[in-house]
Amino acid sequence: MNTDQKMRQSTSASAYGGRAGTDAGDGDPPVRAKRFWSARRMPAGIVALAVFAVSGLLLYDVAAVRSGRPAMRWREWLADQLAARPLDDPWIMSGAALLAALGVWMVVLALTPGLRGLLPMRSPGAGAEKDVEDAEAGVAGVAVRAGIDRTSAGLVLRDRAMEVPGVRSARVDVGRRRIRARALAHFRDLDEVRADLDTALHEGIHQLGLARRPALSVRVRRSAKSKG
């Protein structure tokens, strides 16, 4: 049974990102590229609008009390609850924990780039030789940044996988650090299909021009129709 499974399934995992610049035909030096930062206009607008509404309502109530009018019922109820409940009350502790978690979440959002679905690509001017050529030609340095969506990169690599003879169907999931490819083969030896698929995907990753090339994991198995 184990021998039959070995004949019907072949698996290959290659750390392509760890050997950047050392593979055959890959002479590009590794490039450090910063991730794209999300503008976060919508969350910032919602938070600003909420703070403005709460502050405006509280300021209006304080001004009303100062002018001799009674305070709003919600503020009187809140003041009574805070005065009557002890600090170890479950509702007080739950509310404090919720506000603390919300504050930590907002700090994390402010300090992280976001846009996890966008992979940075190599700059056209990356590399010392290109910089020297531009300096000699008097070309002004222009900062150019490019990125590719992970879904689009997966579609490109899937098309490359479907060009391999023997591949019936393929699925490629592109992550930030690893690319996982799964394919069904309906003819040819599995090891041969896996080797050709591994080579095609390595070349496809190289042509994507990613600044940091993810590791590649390739799995090939025989389709159910071919087994029968």
Side-chain angles (χ1 to χ4, degrees), residues 54 74-75 133 145 152 156 169 176-177 181 198 221:
V54 174
W74 66 269
R75 198 160 73 92
E133 293 177 359
R145 298 192 62 195
S152 301
V156 171
S169 63
R176 293 180 53 233
R177 294 182 176 85
D198 196 73
R221 62 185 179 88

Side-chain angles (χ1 to χ4, degrees), residues 27 35 80 88 90 97 155 171 178 200:
R35 289 173 54 189
D80 293 339
D88 58 350
L155 292 176
R171 177 179 177 179
R178 178 174 295 274

Side-chain angles (χ1 to χ4, degrees), residues 9-13 171 180-184 194 197 201 217-221:
Q9 182 166 343
S10 175
T11 303
S12 169
R171 177 179 177 179
R180 293 178 173 85
R182 290 172 288 181
L184 292 178
R194 186 266 306 158
L197 183 61
L201 291 179
S217 175
V218 178
R219 295 179 182 272
V220 180
R221 62 185 179 88

Side-chain angles (χ1 to χ4, degrees), residues 130-144:
K130 179 65 177 179
D131 295 339
V132 172
E133 293 177 359
D134 291 346
E136 291 176 353
V139 178
V142 180
V144 178

Side-chain angles (χ1 to χ4, degrees), residues 16-211:
Y16 187 80
R19 306 196 311 270
T22 61
D23 293 285
D26 181 18
D28 297 334
V31 176
R32 293 189 61 184
K34 296 181 179 179
R35 289 173 54 189
F36 292 89
W37 279 78
S38 173
R40 296 188 175 97
R41 296 184 180 90
M42 184 64 69
I46 294 176
V47 172
L49 184 61
V51 171
F52 176 78
V54 174
S55 301
L57 184 61
L58 184 60
L59 181 61
Y60 170 79
D61 189 54
V62 171
V65 172
R66 292 292 183 180
S67 62
R69 300 181 61 183
M72 293 184 178
R73 292 183 179 180
W74 66 269
R75 198 160 73 92
E76 292 180 351
W77 176 86
L78 181 60
D80 293 339
Q81 292 294 324
L82 293 177
R85 293 180 181 271
L87 293 178
D88 58 350
D89 185 84
W91 288 102
I92 298 296
M93 297 182 65
S94 301
L98 179 61
L99 293 177
L102 182 61
V104 171
W105 178 62
M106 294 181 65
V107 171
V108 170
L109 288 181
L111 297 179
T112 53
L115 296 180
R116 297 176 62 88
L118 192 62
L119 299 176
M121 301 175 66
R122 287 174 174 263
S123 171
E129 296 181 358
K130 179 65 177 179
D131 295 339
V132 172
E133 293 177 359
D134 291 346
E136 291 176 353
V139 178
V142 180
V144 178
R145 298 192 62 195
I148 183 171
D149 184 73
R150 283 162 50 182
T151 303
S152 301
L155 292 176
V156 171
L157 294 177
R158 188 198 64 181
D159 292 342
R160 293 297 300 267
M162 293 300 298
E163 296 176 357
V164 176
V167 174
R168 180 186 182 93
S169 63
R171 177 179 177 179
V172 181
D173 298 322
V174 178
R176 293 180 53 233
R177 294 182 176 85
R178 178 174 295 274
I179 296 177
R180 293 178 173 85
R182 290 172 288 181
L184 292 178
H186 58 101
F187 70 91
R188 296 182 67 197
D189 182 72
L190 287 179
D191 289 334
E192 295 179 359
V193 176
R194 186 266 306 158
D196 292 346
L197 183 61
D198 196 73
T199 301
L201 291 179
H202 274 87
E203 183 180 355
I205 295 173
H206 173 70
Q207 292 179 353
L208 286 177
L210 300 178

